[in-house]
Amino acid sequence: MAGWALLAPVRFLLCDEAATMLDAVTTAGMVRLLCREVDAGLGVLAIPHDAELLEVWADEVWELTPSGLICAGR
């Protein structure tokens, strides 16, 4: 789905569970593609539930808790 979203000229991309139901090889390819786009100036807000993916992918991690939004890493 991320590939389709990048066909149009965009400055920011919202990825809500973009890797759900993808195998590891496809997920890695998607992350490489999005990282290249980020390096070229694209902003990405990713909403995954996979902590391991966040460790590899995210520059900053924020967590929504019952008490509010907190910085959870980096």
Side-chain angles (χ1 to χ4, degrees):
M1 194 57 80
W4 284 105
L6 295 172
L7 289 176
V10 296
R11 295 184 333 173
F12 203 87
L13 187 63
L14 172 64
C15 296
D16 186 7
E17 288 295 326
T20 299
M21 303 297 290
L22 298 180
D23 61 49
V25 172
T26 306
T27 297
M30 180 196 68
V31 169
R32 279 193 304 274
L33 169 69
L34 290 175
C35 286
R36 281 196 307 266
E37 293 298 319
V38 166
D39 290 343
L42 178 70
V44 176
L45 173 62
I47 307 169
H49 293 149
D50 183 344
E52 291 177 8
L53 180 60
L54 286 172
E55 289 291 323
V56 174
W57 188 8
D59 291 329
E60 290 184 25
V61 177
W62 290 80
E63 186 175 345
L64 184 58
T65 69
S67 60
L69 189 63
I70 60 169
C71 184
R74 300 195 200 193

